[in-house]
Amino acid sequence: MHIITLTSDWIDNDYYVASLKGKLLSNCPDARIVDINHRIKPFNTAEAAFVVRNSYPSFPPDSIHIIAVNSEPEPGGQLLGARKDNHYFLCADNGMLGLLGGDKPEQVVRLNTVREQEPASFLTMSVFAEAACALARDIPLAKLGGETSTYSSQTPLRPTIEDHSITGSVIHIDSYENAITNISRELFERIGNGRPFEIYVQSKHYKINRINRNYNETVPGELLAIFNTVDLLEIALRNGNAARLLKLNTSSTIRVEFYEHSSRSEGSG
Amino acid sequence: MHIITLTSDWIDNDYYVASLKGKLLSNCPDARIVDINHRIKPFNTAEAAFVVRNSYPSFPPDSIHIIAVNSEPEPGGQLLGARKDNHYFLCADNGMLGLLGGDKPEQVVRLNTVREQEPASFLTMSVFAEAACALARDIPLAKLGGETSTYSSQTPLRPTIEDHSITGSVIHIDSYENAITNISRELFERIGNGRPFEIYVQSKHYKINRINRNYNETVPGELLAIFNTVDLLEIALRNGNAARLLKLNTSSTIRVEFYEHSSRSEGSG
Amino acid sequence: MHIITLTSDWIDNDYYVASLKGKLLSNCPDARIVDINHRIKPFNTAEAAFVVRNSYPSFPPDSIHIIAVNSEPEPGGQLLGARKDNHYFLCADNGMLGLLGGDKPEQVVRLNTVREQEPASFLTMSVFAEAACALARDIPLAKLGGETSTYSSQTPLRPTIEDHSITGSVIHIDSYENAITNISRELFERIGNGRPFEIYVQSKHYKINRINRNYNETVPGELLAIFNTVDLLEIALRNGNAARLLKLNTSSTIRVEFYEHSSRSEGSG
């Protein structure tokens, strides 16, 4: 029994999400359908990749993830099916596969998209539904289109590193207004090597010099830094609203400077 | 195994949608419940009909569609169950059945609504849940209430046609700000008969003289016309926002004028 | 086959809800997952309790209700599992159990929360997923942690009563802008004892002197009072918007005065 997850920028106040579910239920009623998120900002490939990247590992192996964001096919048929990390991904050839991070896909095919009767707009929906149901019926990926290795592959924006510093960005503001950065715990510990540090948020006015283990260790109203559920450095305010207060948005700069033990500056705030 | 779909104006930040699902799961746990849309604008029968009309055909035959919009029963019990196009519809007697378009229903009953113990408000929820579960258990529609042919039946707003023109309206703005009109491909091709045309949007300032096959054929920022997934003429902007830019809303006028071959005006824009 | 319901303040435009569903589907694929509401205002325990209190009784016995609102564990592990009214509740030790109303829980345990490998933030998600799946596999609640009777238990805000009056509050504004109060039908009838009354909304300017059986009995635009689906007094406007028009919000005062038969004032409005 396969799970098919759905991520789109269709929001869900139109009929598109329901139509896709109807097609899936009509063609592979044994599959279990789970919405990940239909409120991706229109055409925002990076946001969709972030959400899927951080949720797909929770699902069982062989789950099938439809990512219908920025996926209207260019002339020539550019919808992809991929096998990666024991999961299947159906998305457009728009850089999404690379933005999912992790290992390179083991196998990528260009999905067959020629449809005689179908209106050309939203072809995506029919192609994805058909491919998802084929995979849910254990039809091999290789049968769904021609294999390819020349697909568009953006790499996620990575922090810049130097001996004593990491310069990263805010990549996502969550529903609590926490600012999630692209600085991983692994990178932080590797460059930091146990040294004391200051985290500068947005400018040298906001500084944090320790990492909390959880949100509740600080006084309400105080800024804190924490590694989140996917081990990314996150800037938060006890009880929310960090991003709004600090006027943070995606692309805001977060800089970590590491010090030798004798030169650490005092305080945080 | 039946599918029960849910459409309402309850949004889903209260407890109403969850309560309905709880009742359904308590009474017919084998049915599969699928949300179509709970963000219909309050009491907006036309919007609900549009969303259901364009999604129900994707679902398998014998699916049961609850449409709880503008459905508080007037004194006397006015909730309907209908069989149409091999699907079941449960809605209020408020014109909804006619607005679903397509063929006239084969059978319509007035659902039994007398409840001794139930509070009178939101009687709808209990009546729909009970009727849906009965249908999901294959109890014939005729057993759920008295048959009727005198129910309220609005017809959807139709375009006006003349030999050389079609005057229609925007009937829905979708989540990309595309403006969906009530001009069908069938009507367009029948009146147009292969002739060149101009589509006037809102006024003679915005003109389009060709129909795209997909969204990507135009330059970003340019206005385009396309027949959408349900073959309705849609006015869009590459990458969204047509409605906002052009200040379109439901009821904005869209006029198509057809020309003899020698009199076609140049350009689009 | 157990149902697991989910209520949170995670909204659903991040990856948290999807991750929780993935964990549940990975660990207890036979359970049926139903969203109650993920749009609880951040940290708003009272709102979450209101929504769950009014929807859980619709679900079958032995349903498992995860309430992930204001639930980041304080140091020391403070997530609770409770058995109450033949249902299971998983929530934080933040007063939520008391706010669910009804009977005291039969059994409450402190869920085991020590995790070696897990990042400390959002520990909640893993603990709740594991506990929910254990219950769905019929593992007794007593095995999920140490029993306790000393948990935080707020009582819902209750109306003040006198011989001839009830003073209550608005506790929830629903999606139609109806104002739901904490005055139950039982209390109203017990104190009122059949006497005529005036309901004063917000000030003595808005008065209502009868209770409708349903919303449609009044003229459109007129204020009305009704007992809702859970028998709480609700102030509404035919076709919505009472709260906005009257500037009502949670904590607005609603006062009911009962009169001897000869002293009833005239009119409503």
Side-chain angles (χ1 to χ4, degrees), chain B residues 9-10 12-16 22 26 29 31 39 43 120 122, chain C residues 32 37 39 54 58 60 172 174-176 213 216 227-229 239:
Chain B
D9 55 0
W10 299 341
D12 40 18
N13 64 351
D14 292 312
Y15 61 87
Y16 307 137
S26 295
R39 269 188 226 92
F43 313 111
F122 262 1
Chain C
R32 199 143 172 192
N37 189 323
R39 270 189 224 91
N54 290 316
S58 298
H172 183 76
D174 79 5
S175 49
Y176 296 111
R213 264 187 66 73
N216 293 330
F227 288 112
N228 74 357
T229 48
N239 289 3

PDB file of all heavy atoms in Angstrom, chain B residues 9-10 12-16 22 26 29 31 39 43 120 122, chain C residues 32 37 39 54 58 60 172 174-176 213 216 227-229 239:
ATOM      1  N   ASP B   9     -19.027  26.228   3.586  1.00  0.00           N
ATOM      2  CA  ASP B   9     -18.504  27.575   3.855  1.00  0.00           C
ATOM      3  C   ASP B   9     -18.097  27.682   5.324  1.00  0.00           C
ATOM      4  O   ASP B   9     -18.068  28.764   5.884  1.00  0.00           O
ATOM      5  CB  ASP B   9     -19.521  28.666   3.470  1.00  0.00           C
ATOM      6  CG  ASP B   9     -20.875  28.484   4.145  1.00  0.00           C
ATOM      7  OD1 ASP B   9     -21.052  27.521   4.923  1.00  0.00           O
ATOM      8  OD2 ASP B   9     -21.783  29.314   3.897  1.00  0.00           O
ATOM      9  N   TRP B  10     -17.802  26.546   5.936  1.00  0.00           N
ATOM     10  CA  TRP B  10     -17.461  26.549   7.357  1.00  0.00           C
ATOM     11  C   TRP B  10     -15.998  26.904   7.593  1.00  0.00           C
ATOM     12  O   TRP B  10     -15.541  26.926   8.741  1.00  0.00           O
ATOM     13  CB  TRP B  10     -17.735  25.164   7.958  1.00  0.00           C
ATOM     14  CG  TRP B  10     -19.165  24.759   7.868  1.00  0.00           C
ATOM     15  CD1 TRP B  10     -20.245  25.572   7.676  1.00  0.00           C
ATOM     16  CD2 TRP B  10     -19.676  23.424   7.941  1.00  0.00           C
ATOM     17  NE1 TRP B  10     -21.396  24.803   7.646  1.00  0.00           N
ATOM     18  CE2 TRP B  10     -21.076  23.495   7.805  1.00  0.00           C
ATOM     19  CE3 TRP B  10     -19.078  22.166   8.115  1.00  0.00           C
ATOM     20  CZ2 TRP B  10     -21.892  22.364   7.829  1.00  0.00           C
ATOM     21  CZ3 TRP B  10     -19.882  21.048   8.156  1.00  0.00           C
ATOM     22  CH2 TRP B  10     -21.277  21.156   8.010  1.00  0.00           C
ATOM     23  N   ASP B  12     -12.236  26.118   7.999  1.00  0.00           N
ATOM     24  CA  ASP B  12     -11.994  24.965   8.875  1.00  0.00           C
ATOM     25  C   ASP B  12     -11.226  25.378  10.108  1.00  0.00           C
ATOM     26  O   ASP B  12     -10.381  24.682  10.607  1.00  0.00           O
ATOM     27  CB  ASP B  12     -11.337  23.773   8.159  1.00  0.00           C
ATOM     28  CG  ASP B  12     -10.286  24.200   7.195  1.00  0.00           C
ATOM     29  OD1 ASP B  12      -9.817  25.347   7.321  1.00  0.00           O
ATOM     30  OD2 ASP B  12      -9.908  23.414   6.323  1.00  0.00           O
ATOM     31  N   ASN B  13     -11.569  26.586  10.581  1.00  0.00           N
ATOM     32  CA  ASN B  13     -10.939  26.970  11.829  1.00  0.00           C
ATOM     33  C   ASN B  13     -11.924  26.942  12.987  1.00  0.00           C
ATOM     34  O   ASN B  13     -11.718  27.528  14.016  1.00  0.00           O
ATOM     35  CB  ASN B  13     -10.295  28.350  11.695  1.00  0.00           C
ATOM     36  CG  ASN B  13     -11.338  29.417  11.439  1.00  0.00           C
ATOM     37  OD1 ASN B  13     -12.499  29.117  11.205  1.00  0.00           O
ATOM     38  ND2 ASN B  13     -10.915  30.663  11.498  1.00  0.00           N
ATOM     39  N   ASP B  14     -13.041  26.262  12.767  1.00  0.00           N
ATOM     40  CA  ASP B  14     -13.975  26.003  13.864  1.00  0.00           C
ATOM     41  C   ASP B  14     -14.026  24.493  14.070  1.00  0.00           C
ATOM     42  O   ASP B  14     -13.130  23.794  13.656  1.00  0.00           O
ATOM     43  CB  ASP B  14     -15.369  26.530  13.510  1.00  0.00           C
ATOM     44  CG  ASP B  14     -15.412  28.038  13.451  1.00  0.00           C
ATOM     45  OD1 ASP B  14     -14.906  28.667  14.388  1.00  0.00           O
ATOM     46  OD2 ASP B  14     -15.919  28.568  12.455  1.00  0.00           O
ATOM     47  N   TYR B  15     -15.060  24.039  14.703  1.00  0.00           N
ATOM     48  CA  TYR B  15     -15.154  22.609  14.960  1.00  0.00           C
ATOM     49  C   TYR B  15     -16.170  21.919  14.067  1.00  0.00           C
ATOM     50  O   TYR B  15     -16.391  20.722  14.188  1.00  0.00           O
ATOM     51  CB  TYR B  15     -15.488  22.350  16.427  1.00  0.00           C
ATOM     52  CG  TYR B  15     -16.812  22.948  16.871  1.00  0.00           C
ATOM     53  CD1 TYR B  15     -17.993  22.226  16.717  1.00  0.00           C
ATOM     54  CD2 TYR B  15     -16.887  24.215  17.421  1.00  0.00           C
ATOM     55  CE1 TYR B  15     -19.206  22.758  17.091  1.00  0.00           C
ATOM     56  CE2 TYR B  15     -18.092  24.760  17.801  1.00  0.00           C
ATOM     57  CZ  TYR B  15     -19.252  24.032  17.638  1.00  0.00           C
ATOM     58  OH  TYR B  15     -20.444  24.569  18.019  1.00  0.00           O
ATOM     59  N   TYR B  16     -16.790  22.659  13.156  1.00  0.00           N
ATOM     60  CA  TYR B  16     -17.896  22.101  12.391  1.00  0.00           C
ATOM     61  C   TYR B  16     -17.462  21.000  11.421  1.00  0.00           C
ATOM     62  O   TYR B  16     -18.082  19.950  11.334  1.00  0.00           O
ATOM     63  CB  TYR B  16     -18.620  23.197  11.599  1.00  0.00           C
ATOM     64  CG  TYR B  16     -19.069  24.386  12.426  1.00  0.00           C
ATOM     65  CD1 TYR B  16     -18.902  25.688  11.951  1.00  0.00           C
ATOM     66  CD2 TYR B  16     -19.660  24.221  13.668  1.00  0.00           C
ATOM     67  CE1 TYR B  16     -19.307  26.785  12.683  1.00  0.00           C
ATOM     68  CE2 TYR B  16     -20.067  25.320  14.409  1.00  0.00           C
ATOM     69  CZ  TYR B  16     -19.882  26.605  13.913  1.00  0.00           C
ATOM     70  OH  TYR B  16     -20.275  27.689  14.637  1.00  0.00           O
ATOM     71  N   GLY B  22     -16.446  13.390  12.176  1.00  0.00           N
ATOM     72  CA  GLY B  22     -16.629  12.450  13.283  1.00  0.00           C
ATOM     73  C   GLY B  22     -17.924  11.672  13.142  1.00  0.00           C
ATOM     74  O   GLY B  22     -17.961  10.447  13.309  1.00  0.00           O
ATOM     75  N   SER B  26     -18.201   7.716  12.514  1.00  0.00           N
ATOM     76  CA  SER B  26     -18.903   6.902  13.502  1.00  0.00           C
ATOM     77  C   SER B  26     -19.971   6.030  12.849  1.00  0.00           C
ATOM     78  O   SER B  26     -20.220   4.919  13.288  1.00  0.00           O
ATOM     79  CB  SER B  26     -19.570   7.787  14.558  1.00  0.00           C
ATOM     80  OG  SER B  26     -18.599   8.483  15.304  1.00  0.00           O
ATOM     81  N   PRO B  29     -17.844   3.932   8.783  1.00  0.00           N
ATOM     82  CA  PRO B  29     -16.372   3.965   8.783  1.00  0.00           C
ATOM     83  C   PRO B  29     -15.722   3.443   7.511  1.00  0.00           C
ATOM     84  O   PRO B  29     -14.557   3.717   7.259  1.00  0.00           O
ATOM     85  CB  PRO B  29     -16.000   3.099   9.995  1.00  0.00           C
ATOM     86  CG  PRO B  29     -17.219   2.311  10.335  1.00  0.00           C
ATOM     87  CD  PRO B  29     -18.384   3.109   9.885  1.00  0.00           C
ATOM     88  N   ALA B  31     -16.569   4.309   4.507  1.00  0.00           N
ATOM     89  CA  ALA B  31     -16.557   5.321   3.455  1.00  0.00           C
ATOM     90  C   ALA B  31     -15.255   6.109   3.518  1.00  0.00           C
ATOM     91  O   ALA B  31     -14.650   6.258   4.572  1.00  0.00           O
ATOM     92  CB  ALA B  31     -17.747   6.261   3.610  1.00  0.00           C
ATOM     93  N   ARG B  39     -13.619  26.590   2.073  1.00  0.00           N
ATOM     94  CA  ARG B  39     -13.431  28.038   2.104  1.00  0.00           C
ATOM     95  C   ARG B  39     -14.339  28.772   1.133  1.00  0.00           C
ATOM     96  O   ARG B  39     -14.013  29.871   0.702  1.00  0.00           O
ATOM     97  CB  ARG B  39     -11.961  28.376   1.842  1.00  0.00           C
ATOM     98  CG  ARG B  39     -11.227  28.435   3.141  1.00  0.00           C
ATOM     99  CD  ARG B  39      -9.844  28.925   3.045  1.00  0.00           C
ATOM    100  NE  ARG B  39      -9.057  27.991   3.838  1.00  0.00           N
ATOM    101  CZ  ARG B  39      -8.483  26.942   3.353  1.00  0.00           C
ATOM    102  NH1 ARG B  39      -8.509  26.710   2.068  1.00  0.00           N
ATOM    103  NH2 ARG B  39      -7.841  26.111   4.144  1.00  0.00           N
ATOM    104  N   PHE B  43     -22.232  31.638   2.414  1.00  0.00           N
ATOM    105  CA  PHE B  43     -23.535  31.657   1.743  1.00  0.00           C
ATOM    106  C   PHE B  43     -23.435  31.726   0.221  1.00  0.00           C
ATOM    107  O   PHE B  43     -24.452  31.840  -0.448  1.00  0.00           O
ATOM    108  CB  PHE B  43     -24.400  32.834   2.233  1.00  0.00           C
ATOM    109  CG  PHE B  43     -24.413  32.963   3.732  1.00  0.00           C
ATOM    110  CD1 PHE B  43     -23.789  34.023   4.349  1.00  0.00           C
ATOM    111  CD2 PHE B  43     -25.019  31.995   4.527  1.00  0.00           C
ATOM    112  CE1 PHE B  43     -23.767  34.128   5.739  1.00  0.00           C
ATOM    113  CE2 PHE B  43     -25.003  32.090   5.905  1.00  0.00           C
ATOM    114  CZ  PHE B  43     -24.376  33.162   6.515  1.00  0.00           C
ATOM    115  N   ALA B 120     -32.053  22.892  16.920  1.00  0.00           N
ATOM    116  CA  ALA B 120     -32.490  23.218  15.567  1.00  0.00           C
ATOM    117  C   ALA B 120     -31.399  23.825  14.695  1.00  0.00           C
ATOM    118  O   ALA B 120     -31.439  23.705  13.489  1.00  0.00           O
ATOM    119  CB  ALA B 120     -33.683  24.184  15.632  1.00  0.00           C
ATOM    120  N   PHE B 122     -27.924  24.125  12.834  1.00  0.00           N
ATOM    121  CA  PHE B 122     -27.022  23.132  12.267  1.00  0.00           C
ATOM    122  C   PHE B 122     -27.627  21.735  12.199  1.00  0.00           C
ATOM    123  O   PHE B 122     -26.931  20.730  12.276  1.00  0.00           O
ATOM    124  CB  PHE B 122     -25.669  23.116  12.982  1.00  0.00           C
ATOM    125  CG  PHE B 122     -24.653  23.915  12.226  1.00  0.00           C
ATOM    126  CD1 PHE B 122     -24.999  24.567  11.047  1.00  0.00           C
ATOM    127  CD2 PHE B 122     -23.358  24.044  12.668  1.00  0.00           C
ATOM    128  CE1 PHE B 122     -24.082  25.312  10.324  1.00  0.00           C
ATOM    129  CE2 PHE B 122     -22.426  24.790  11.958  1.00  0.00           C
ATOM    130  CZ  PHE B 122     -22.785  25.417  10.797  1.00  0.00           C
TER     131      PHE B 122
ATOM    132  N   ARG C  32      -6.544   5.655  11.285  1.00  0.00           N
ATOM    133  CA  ARG C  32      -7.125   6.634  10.367  1.00  0.00           C
ATOM    134  C   ARG C  32      -6.853   8.012  10.944  1.00  0.00           C
ATOM    135  O   ARG C  32      -7.174   8.285  12.087  1.00  0.00           O
ATOM    136  CB  ARG C  32      -8.624   6.388  10.304  1.00  0.00           C
ATOM    137  CG  ARG C  32      -9.235   6.991   9.111  1.00  0.00           C
ATOM    138  CD  ARG C  32     -10.309   6.120   8.589  1.00  0.00           C
ATOM    139  NE  ARG C  32     -11.007   6.820   7.533  1.00  0.00           N
ATOM    140  CZ  ARG C  32     -12.146   6.431   7.016  1.00  0.00           C
ATOM    141  NH1 ARG C  32     -12.718   5.333   7.477  1.00  0.00           N
ATOM    142  NH2 ARG C  32     -12.713   7.103   6.043  1.00  0.00           N
ATOM    143  N   ASN C  37      -8.133  20.666  13.270  1.00  0.00           N
ATOM    144  CA  ASN C  37      -7.910  22.101  13.036  1.00  0.00           C
ATOM    145  C   ASN C  37      -6.450  22.418  13.300  1.00  0.00           C
ATOM    146  O   ASN C  37      -5.953  22.148  14.395  1.00  0.00           O
ATOM    147  CB  ASN C  37      -8.783  22.859  14.046  1.00  0.00           C
ATOM    148  CG  ASN C  37      -8.825  24.342  13.783  1.00  0.00           C
ATOM    149  OD1 ASN C  37      -7.847  24.958  13.393  1.00  0.00           O
ATOM    150  ND2 ASN C  37      -9.990  24.930  14.018  1.00  0.00           N
ATOM    151  N   ARG C  39      -5.301  25.588  12.635  1.00  0.00           N
ATOM    152  CA  ARG C  39      -5.234  27.051  12.613  1.00  0.00           C
ATOM    153  C   ARG C  39      -5.549  27.674  13.961  1.00  0.00           C
ATOM    154  O   ARG C  39      -5.961  28.825  14.034  1.00  0.00           O
ATOM    155  CB  ARG C  39      -6.166  27.596  11.538  1.00  0.00           C
ATOM    156  CG  ARG C  39      -5.418  27.696  10.257  1.00  0.00           C
ATOM    157  CD  ARG C  39      -6.147  28.418   9.187  1.00  0.00           C
ATOM    158  NE  ARG C  39      -5.939  27.615   7.992  1.00  0.00           N
ATOM    159  CZ  ARG C  39      -6.759  26.656   7.618  1.00  0.00           C
ATOM    160  NH1 ARG C  39      -7.862  26.430   8.264  1.00  0.00           N
ATOM    161  NH2 ARG C  39      -6.469  25.931   6.565  1.00  0.00           N
ATOM    162  N   ASN C  54     -15.710  20.523  21.528  1.00  0.00           N
ATOM    163  CA  ASN C  54     -16.952  20.503  20.761  1.00  0.00           C
ATOM    164  C   ASN C  54     -16.932  19.581  19.552  1.00  0.00           C
ATOM    165  O   ASN C  54     -17.920  19.490  18.837  1.00  0.00           O
ATOM    166  CB  ASN C  54     -17.303  21.922  20.308  1.00  0.00           C
ATOM    167  CG  ASN C  54     -17.712  22.772  21.493  1.00  0.00           C
ATOM    168  OD1 ASN C  54     -18.461  22.327  22.347  1.00  0.00           O
ATOM    169  ND2 ASN C  54     -17.180  23.981  21.571  1.00  0.00           N
ATOM    170  N   SER C  58     -18.209  13.676  18.607  1.00  0.00           N
ATOM    171  CA  SER C  58     -18.719  13.119  17.352  1.00  0.00           C
ATOM    172  C   SER C  58     -17.943  11.897  16.902  1.00  0.00           C
ATOM    173  O   SER C  58     -18.407  11.148  16.045  1.00  0.00           O
ATOM    174  CB  SER C  58     -18.602  14.145  16.214  1.00  0.00           C
ATOM    175  OG  SER C  58     -19.372  15.273  16.494  1.00  0.00           O
ATOM    176  N   PRO C  60     -15.877   8.167  17.183  1.00  0.00           N
ATOM    177  CA  PRO C  60     -16.167   6.911  17.867  1.00  0.00           C
ATOM    178  C   PRO C  60     -15.375   6.795  19.167  1.00  0.00           C
ATOM    179  O   PRO C  60     -14.315   7.423  19.316  1.00  0.00           O
ATOM    180  CB  PRO C  60     -15.702   5.839  16.870  1.00  0.00           C
ATOM    181  CG  PRO C  60     -15.552   6.514  15.568  1.00  0.00           C
ATOM    182  CD  PRO C  60     -15.247   7.938  15.848  1.00  0.00           C
ATOM    183  N   HIS C 172     -15.868  32.546  21.868  1.00  0.00           N
ATOM    184  CA  HIS C 172     -15.373  32.150  20.545  1.00  0.00           C
ATOM    185  C   HIS C 172     -16.152  32.892  19.478  1.00  0.00           C
ATOM    186  O   HIS C 172     -17.371  33.021  19.587  1.00  0.00           O
ATOM    187  CB  HIS C 172     -15.565  30.635  20.362  1.00  0.00           C
ATOM    188  CG  HIS C 172     -15.036  30.099  19.076  1.00  0.00           C
ATOM    189  ND1 HIS C 172     -13.689  29.899  18.852  1.00  0.00           N
ATOM    190  CD2 HIS C 172     -15.645  29.712  17.931  1.00  0.00           C
ATOM    191  CE1 HIS C 172     -13.514  29.417  17.628  1.00  0.00           C
ATOM    192  NE2 HIS C 172     -14.683  29.283  17.043  1.00  0.00           N
ATOM    193  N   ASP C 174     -17.020  32.462  15.592  1.00  0.00           N
ATOM    194  CA  ASP C 174     -16.838  31.444  14.549  1.00  0.00           C
ATOM    195  C   ASP C 174     -16.672  32.083  13.172  1.00  0.00           C
ATOM    196  O   ASP C 174     -16.584  33.303  13.042  1.00  0.00           O
ATOM    197  CB  ASP C 174     -17.956  30.382  14.599  1.00  0.00           C
ATOM    198  CG  ASP C 174     -19.253  30.849  13.965  1.00  0.00           C
ATOM    199  OD1 ASP C 174     -19.331  31.954  13.381  1.00  0.00           O
ATOM    200  OD2 ASP C 174     -20.228  30.085  14.028  1.00  0.00           O
ATOM    201  N   SER C 175     -16.606  31.229  12.158  1.00  0.00           N
ATOM    202  CA  SER C 175     -16.263  31.730  10.828  1.00  0.00           C
ATOM    203  C   SER C 175     -17.379  32.547  10.190  1.00  0.00           C
ATOM    204  O   SER C 175     -17.173  33.199   9.183  1.00  0.00           O
ATOM    205  CB  SER C 175     -15.880  30.568   9.910  1.00  0.00           C
ATOM    206  OG  SER C 175     -16.839  29.544   9.985  1.00  0.00           O
ATOM    207  N   TYR C 176     -18.578  32.522  10.760  1.00  0.00           N
ATOM    208  CA  TYR C 176     -19.661  33.386  10.274  1.00  0.00           C
ATOM    209  C   TYR C 176     -19.729  34.684  11.080  1.00  0.00           C
ATOM    210  O   TYR C 176     -20.652  35.467  10.890  1.00  0.00           O
ATOM    211  CB  TYR C 176     -21.027  32.703  10.454  1.00  0.00           C
ATOM    212  CG  TYR C 176     -21.215  31.448   9.640  1.00  0.00           C
ATOM    213  CD1 TYR C 176     -21.282  30.217  10.255  1.00  0.00           C
ATOM    214  CD2 TYR C 176     -21.351  31.506   8.259  1.00  0.00           C
ATOM    215  CE1 TYR C 176     -21.470  29.065   9.521  1.00  0.00           C
ATOM    216  CE2 TYR C 176     -21.543  30.360   7.512  1.00  0.00           C
ATOM    217  CZ  TYR C 176     -21.609  29.151   8.152  1.00  0.00           C
ATOM    218  OH  TYR C 176     -21.809  28.010   7.426  1.00  0.00           O
ATOM    219  N   ARG C 213     -35.361  29.286  17.308  1.00  0.00           N
ATOM    220  CA  ARG C 213     -35.058  27.863  17.116  1.00  0.00           C
ATOM    221  C   ARG C 213     -34.081  27.667  15.956  1.00  0.00           C
ATOM    222  O   ARG C 213     -33.330  26.723  15.934  1.00  0.00           O
ATOM    223  CB  ARG C 213     -36.331  27.043  16.875  1.00  0.00           C
ATOM    224  CG  ARG C 213     -36.854  26.391  18.145  1.00  0.00           C
ATOM    225  CD  ARG C 213     -38.019  25.444  17.871  1.00  0.00           C
ATOM    226  NE  ARG C 213     -37.669  24.276  17.085  1.00  0.00           N
ATOM    227  CZ  ARG C 213     -36.962  23.234  17.541  1.00  0.00           C
ATOM    228  NH1 ARG C 213     -36.501  23.213  18.759  1.00  0.00           N
ATOM    229  NH2 ARG C 213     -36.702  22.211  16.743  1.00  0.00           N
ATOM    230  N   ASN C 216     -33.170  31.283  10.569  1.00  0.00           N
ATOM    231  CA  ASN C 216     -33.996  31.887   9.516  1.00  0.00           C
ATOM    232  C   ASN C 216     -35.283  32.519   9.996  1.00  0.00           C
ATOM    233  O   ASN C 216     -36.043  33.041   9.216  1.00  0.00           O
ATOM    234  CB  ASN C 216     -34.333  30.828   8.470  1.00  0.00           C
ATOM    235  CG  ASN C 216     -33.078  30.400   7.725  1.00  0.00           C
ATOM    236  OD1 ASN C 216     -32.159  31.179   7.558  1.00  0.00           O
ATOM    237  ND2 ASN C 216     -33.053  29.159   7.294  1.00  0.00           N
ATOM    238  N   PHE C 227     -29.550  28.791  20.718  1.00  0.00           N
ATOM    239  CA  PHE C 227     -28.653  27.820  21.329  1.00  0.00           C
ATOM    240  C   PHE C 227     -28.048  26.991  20.208  1.00  0.00           C
ATOM    241  O   PHE C 227     -28.773  26.417  19.396  1.00  0.00           O
ATOM    242  CB  PHE C 227     -29.405  26.931  22.332  1.00  0.00           C
ATOM    243  CG  PHE C 227     -29.771  27.671  23.587  1.00  0.00           C
ATOM    244  CD1 PHE C 227     -31.096  27.952  23.892  1.00  0.00           C
ATOM    245  CD2 PHE C 227     -28.782  28.114  24.463  1.00  0.00           C
ATOM    246  CE1 PHE C 227     -31.430  28.666  25.038  1.00  0.00           C
ATOM    247  CE2 PHE C 227     -29.108  28.817  25.614  1.00  0.00           C
ATOM    248  CZ  PHE C 227     -30.436  29.095  25.900  1.00  0.00           C
ATOM    249  N   ASN C 228     -26.731  26.905  20.163  1.00  0.00           N
ATOM    250  CA  ASN C 228     -26.059  26.293  19.010  1.00  0.00           C
ATOM    251  C   ASN C 228     -25.961  24.768  19.144  1.00  0.00           C
ATOM    252  O   ASN C 228     -26.585  24.164  20.012  1.00  0.00           O
ATOM    253  CB  ASN C 228     -24.690  26.938  18.781  1.00  0.00           C
ATOM    254  CG  ASN C 228     -23.641  26.526  19.805  1.00  0.00           C
ATOM    255  OD1 ASN C 228     -23.935  25.774  20.759  1.00  0.00           O
ATOM    256  ND2 ASN C 228     -22.438  27.008  19.640  1.00  0.00           N
ATOM    257  N   THR C 229     -25.177  24.147  18.279  1.00  0.00           N
ATOM    258  CA  THR C 229     -25.069  22.691  18.227  1.00  0.00           C
ATOM    259  C   THR C 229     -24.589  22.073  19.524  1.00  0.00           C
ATOM    260  O   THR C 229     -24.766  20.884  19.728  1.00  0.00           O
ATOM    261  CB  THR C 229     -24.040  22.248  17.166  1.00  0.00           C
ATOM    262  OG1 THR C 229     -22.860  23.009  17.342  1.00  0.00           O
ATOM    263  CG2 THR C 229     -24.582  22.418  15.779  1.00  0.00           C
ATOM    264  N   ASN C 239     -27.523  35.883   8.228  1.00  0.00           N
ATOM    265  CA  ASN C 239     -26.495  36.051   7.191  1.00  0.00           C
ATOM    266  C   ASN C 239     -25.155  36.575   7.677  1.00  0.00           C
ATOM    267  O   ASN C 239     -24.366  37.090   6.920  1.00  0.00           O
ATOM    268  CB  ASN C 239     -26.995  36.908   6.013  1.00  0.00           C
ATOM    269  CG  ASN C 239     -28.020  36.158   5.192  1.00  0.00           C
ATOM    270  OD1 ASN C 239     -28.400  35.030   5.529  1.00  0.00           O
ATOM    271  ND2 ASN C 239     -28.506  36.763   4.127  1.00  0.00           N
TER     272      ASN C 239
END
